[in-house]
Amino acid sequence: MLMEVKNQINVTLKSIKYSIMKEMLNKGTFLMNIFFMILNDASFIIQWIIIYNIKEDVGGYTFNQVLLLWGIAAGIFGVSRFLFKNAFHLSDFITNGKLDSYLVQPKNVLLAVISSSSDSSALGDIFYGYILVFLSGFTVIKFLLFTLFMITGAIIVTDIAIILGSLSFWINRSDILADTGNGLMTNFATYPDGIFKGSARAMLYSIIPVGVTVYMPVQVLTSFNYSMFFIINVITLILTFFTFFIFYKGLRKYSSSNLMFSKI
Amino acid sequence: MRKYTVIYMANLMSNLQYMANIIINSLGFIVHIFIFFHVWNYIYENPAELIYGFSKTQMVWYVTITEIIFCSVAGRRMVRTICNEVRSGNVAYNINKPYSYVGYIMFSNLGEVTIRLVFYVMIGLGLGITFLGSIPTITIIEGIVIAISWILSIIINMLFLTFIGLLAFIMEDSNPMYWLYSKMQLIFGIVFPLEFFPTAIQPIIKISPIFVTSYGPAKLFIDFNWRFAIIVILAQIAYLLISLGLCKLMYMKGVKKLNVNGG
């Protein structure tokens, strides 16, 4: 069992390595994409400077906490798209019968699919996340916790993308639904939860779990809280098991479209 | 012009078949308005308060209008499509056709843009009235001028997006340019009117495309005056010619360097 897990991890790491190497074929474009993504993310600081010039706190967040919020949000989306880009294109794989070549491999189908492509610009998001953590006040503990929350958040965001993508096993042309769902996660993750009230706020801790990926980590990073730390990790684990369950349940309904394509 | 009308109508009819897609896509637009409503609701503790001369009602309407104009164009997809056509060499299929490539791109996207615009105007006005309970008072003539200004802003935005896509002729991937363009639009035009920026930056925004694509058309809706309307429309005509010229120039220069690898 342990040997099997070790082998699976090795295969997934190799898959990630090769998809990154593929992205690095044109080094100029690779570096430009990273640089422009950092610039793209950084432009939002202007928005928050203007807002904090008007009001001292927004939704109970100080400017430094908003930097952390943005850092975590950028890092999460960076890690998920850098390592598991195809989780966000799962609908296309299912609808167009592109899973065939993964089904014949003697390893985990889901991990093989989602790790087979990488987005180089997402590396810019990860760098930007770390830059903001340094700007908000660096400590070793904060750095380690930030890295952990970036990983748990990335796992949850990838889980949500897989669940939404897996809808294509049952619903035809659900790719737009998946794209919209993934977009919702990004939109809400970059604004403090304190500005939302009532059911809108409750939604952010349930259906759109931005609360667990971003808001709770910001609170733990600001003042450490064991119960929140525990909740974040447990929810990540439960959601991941649920994601695998949904994908493999849906996979039984998968039918090939006899599509021939090359994987380069 | 007839051939472009045919392209436009074909795209319009094709997109009418996929109304469900446009409805689902509008969720993102609704969420943007919802978030900004909550942001401004939080910032304006007193609804009668004025921030840089804007009331809460004006700010929510400002963001709603700029979002309608910006979201009506699927900018990311438009740039990605042009960029991929240039990179893959598929643009060559359009060279020997009896129409201009820029004209083809514009009219083949305008069909979808028309549907989105009509749909988003209905949703945007509906949300604005739901959140705020009122709509700025405008006469029919003012309404027509505002509508012209919105349409011009969308066309200018589409031309700039086409230009960004065509940049793929000189750079491997022009998508990063779109990220910067959209964020500049978002920060300096969509979210905040230019009065919110330091006085040193305001003249730069006034002469930038942001003035004609976001600030001008939205300001006309929330605080119409004829002098400002003439300035906005004249600036839009100038930018229309500039953006069209840039697209033509980039296409003419780029197509000379085109290498098609057969297949």
Side-chain angles (χ1 to χ4, degrees), chain A residues 26 29 32-33 36-37 39-40 43-44 46-47 50-51 53-55 57-60 121 173 176-177 180 184 187-188 191 194-197 200, chain B residues 18 21 24-25 27-28 31-32 34-36 38-40 42-43 45 51-52 171-173 176-177 179-180 183-184 186-188 191-192 196-197:
Chain A
N26 188 332
T29 307
M32 191 181 78
N33 282 350
F36 272 87
M37 185 50 83
L39 270 185
N40 172 58
S43 61
F44 281 101
I46 300 168
Q47 175 185 332
I50 291 171
I51 291 177
N53 265 337
I54 301 168
K55 213 169 161 64
D57 88 281
V58 179
S121 62
R173 288 193 65 93
I176 295 177
L177 198 66
T180 308
L184 289 185
N187 288 329
F188 280 110
Y191 289 89
I195 63 168
F196 304 106
K197 303 271 180 286
Chain B
Y18 298 107
N21 291 1
I24 294 171
N25 264 330
L27 251 179
V31 165
H32 280 171
F34 178 79
I35 290 173
F36 284 120
H38 279 86
V39 170
W40 290 117
Y42 189 88
I43 292 172
E45 279 170 271
I51 298 176
Y52 297 107
M171 55 203 295
E172 169 79 11
D173 184 1
M177 288 295 165
W179 306 337
L180 273 192
K183 291 307 167 299
M184 291 296 114
L186 189 73
I187 304 296
F188 293 102
V191 180
F192 304 110
F196 279 64
F197 295 94

Side-chain angles (χ1 to χ4, degrees), chain A residues 1-122:
Chain A
M1 175 71 181
L2 269 178
M3 202 58 194
E4 206 175 310
V5 172
K6 196 181 157 195
N7 280 341
Q8 182 59 56
I9 291 171
N10 272 336
V11 170
T12 307
L13 288 177
K14 280 209 164 57
S15 174
I16 291 169
K17 182 184 157 191
Y18 288 119
S19 56
I20 294 170
M21 282 167 70
K22 199 165 64 184
E23 279 293 299
M24 287 178 75
L25 275 176
N26 188 332
K27 285 197 174 55
T29 307
F30 179 78
L31 293 172
M32 191 181 78
N33 282 350
I34 294 169
F35 175 71
F36 272 87
M37 185 50 83
I38 293 174
L39 270 185
N40 172 58
D41 291 345
S43 61
F44 281 101
I45 288 187
I46 300 168
Q47 175 185 332
W48 289 103
I49 289 173
I50 291 171
I51 291 177
Y52 276 94
N53 265 337
I54 301 168
K55 213 169 161 64
E56 274 177 15
D57 88 281
V58 179
Y61 281 56
T62 61
F63 185 68
N64 268 357
Q65 283 176 311
V66 165
L67 287 185
L68 269 181
L69 178 93
W70 260 91
I72 293 177
I76 284 171
F77 292 103
V79 172
S80 60
R81 280 163 178 82
F82 187 62
L83 301 181
F84 308 117
K85 183 185 168 188
N86 276 347
F88 301 88
H89 302 284
L90 198 57
S91 280
D92 175 48
F93 278 81
I94 297 165
T95 312
N96 294 317
K98 292 182 183 172
L99 288 183
D100 295 11
S101 56
Y102 296 94
L103 289 172
V104 291
Q105 291 173 10
K107 294 289 167 195
N108 187 288
V109 181
L110 180 58
L111 287 175
V113 175
I114 65 172
S115 63
S116 61
S117 182
S118 174
D119 183 351
S120 59
S121 62

Side-chain angles (χ1 to χ4, degrees), chain A residues 125-179:
Chain A
D125 285 323
I126 300 171
F127 288 146
Y128 180 72
Y130 278 113
I131 291 169
L132 288 192
V133 169
F134 277 92
L135 287 178
S136 70
F138 176 79
T139 62
V140 178
I141 298 290
K142 200 172 175 182
F143 176 83
L144 293 174
L145 279 175
F146 175 81
T147 307
L148 174 74
F149 292 140
M150 207 161 67
I151 294 166
T152 54
I155 292 172
I156 292 178
V157 165
T158 310
D159 286 342
I160 299 288
I162 294 167
I163 293 170
L164 289 170
S166 297
L167 289 178
S168 289
F169 285 123
W170 295 278
I171 308 168
N172 207 15
R173 288 193 65 93
S174 65
D175 52 330
I176 295 177
L177 198 66
D179 284 348

Side-chain angles (χ1 to χ4, degrees), chain A residues 184 188 198-211, chain B residues 31 34:
Chain A
L184 289 185
F188 280 110
S199 53
R201 190 168 175 160
M203 202 173 67
L204 298 178
Y205 284 88
S206 51
I207 308 167
I208 309 168
V210 183
Chain B
V31 165
F34 178 79

Side-chain angles (χ1 to χ4, degrees), chain B:
Chain B
M1 196 63 195
R2 230 185 95 211
K3 54 197 171 195
Y4 295 113
T5 314
V6 172
I7 295 171
Y8 169 74
M9 287 308 290
N11 183 259
L12 185 76
M13 297 311 287
S14 144
N15 276 288
L16 278 173
Q17 307 300 314
Y18 298 107
M19 272 308 285
N21 291 1
I22 292 175
I23 292 169
I24 294 171
N25 264 330
S26 68
L27 251 179
F29 166 76
I30 295 169
V31 165
H32 280 171
I33 307 281
F34 178 79
I35 290 173
F36 284 120
F37 173 74
H38 279 86
V39 170
W40 290 117
N41 214 20
Y42 189 88
I43 292 172
Y44 281 89
E45 279 170 271
N46 172 10
E49 186 186 356
L50 289 181
I51 298 176
Y52 297 107
F54 287 82
S55 65
K56 184 182 114 181
T57 309
Q58 284 180 314
M59 272 316 300
V60 174
W61 274 120
Y62 178 87
V63 176
T64 306
I65 302 305
T66 51
E67 283 281 346
I68 288 173
I69 294 170
F70 191 73
C71 293
S72 293
V73 184
R76 185 190 300 268
R77 182 151 36 91
M78 196 171 159
V79 170
R80 197 170 49 209
T81 308
I82 302 170
C83 183
N84 287 345
E85 281 196 359
V86 172
R87 287 167 74 181
S88 64
N90 282 348
V91 70
Y93 290 114
N94 288 295
I95 292 174
N96 58 354
K97 298 281 191 303
Y99 51 64
S100 127
Y101 179 69
V102 174
Y104 169 75
I105 287 291
M106 287 297 292
F107 282 88
S108 64
N109 279 283
L110 265 176
E112 185 185 349
V113 170
T114 308
I115 300 169
R116 275 173 179 255
L117 180 64
V118 173
F119 195 61
Y120 287 0
V121 165
M122 289 193 299
I123 295 178
L125 295 182
L127 285 175
I129 293 167
T130 310
F131 289 147
L132 303 165
S134 67
I135 188 168
T137 321
I138 41 173
T139 64
I140 295 173
I141 302 286
E142 287 169 357
I144 293 169
V145 175
I146 292 167
I148 292 171
S149 153
W150 289 7
I151 292 167
L152 282 172
S153 68
I154 287 173
I155 295 173
I156 295 165
N157 188 24
M158 286 175 75
L159 282 166
F160 273 110
L161 292 169
T162 307
F163 174 71
I164 292 169
L166 291 173
L167 281 175
F169 275 122
I170 52 172
M171 55 203 295
E172 169 79 11
D173 184 1
S174 63
N175 285 303
M177 288 295 165
Y178 169 74
W179 306 337
L180 273 192
Y181 173 79
S182 60
K183 291 307 167 299
M184 291 296 114
Q185 287 277 2
L186 189 73
I187 304 296
F188 293 102
I190 295 170
V191 180
F192 304 110
L194 68 85
E195 286 83 351
F196 279 64
F197 295 94
T199 42
I201 299 175
Q202 288 183 18
I204 302 169
I205 301 173
K206 273 183 184 167
I207 57 162
S208 74
I210 294 165
F211 179 81
V212 295
T213 53
S214 298
Y215 177 78
K219 186 80 192 294
L220 280 180
F221 184 76
I222 58 169
D223 185 17
F224 189 92
N225 80 70
W226 280 102
R227 191 175 167 274
F228 185 67
I230 293 165
I231 293 171
V232 171
I233 301 281
L234 285 177
Q236 286 183 320
I237 294 169
Y239 259 110
L240 187 75
L241 297 173
I242 293 169
S243 52
L244 187 64
L246 281 173
C247 288
K248 292 263 183 198
L249 195 72
M250 178 52 69
Y251 180 73
M252 270 159 49
K253 278 182 86 78
V255 94
K256 283 181 192 157
K257 293 201 294 183
L258 187 67
N259 282 311
V260 181
N261 299 318

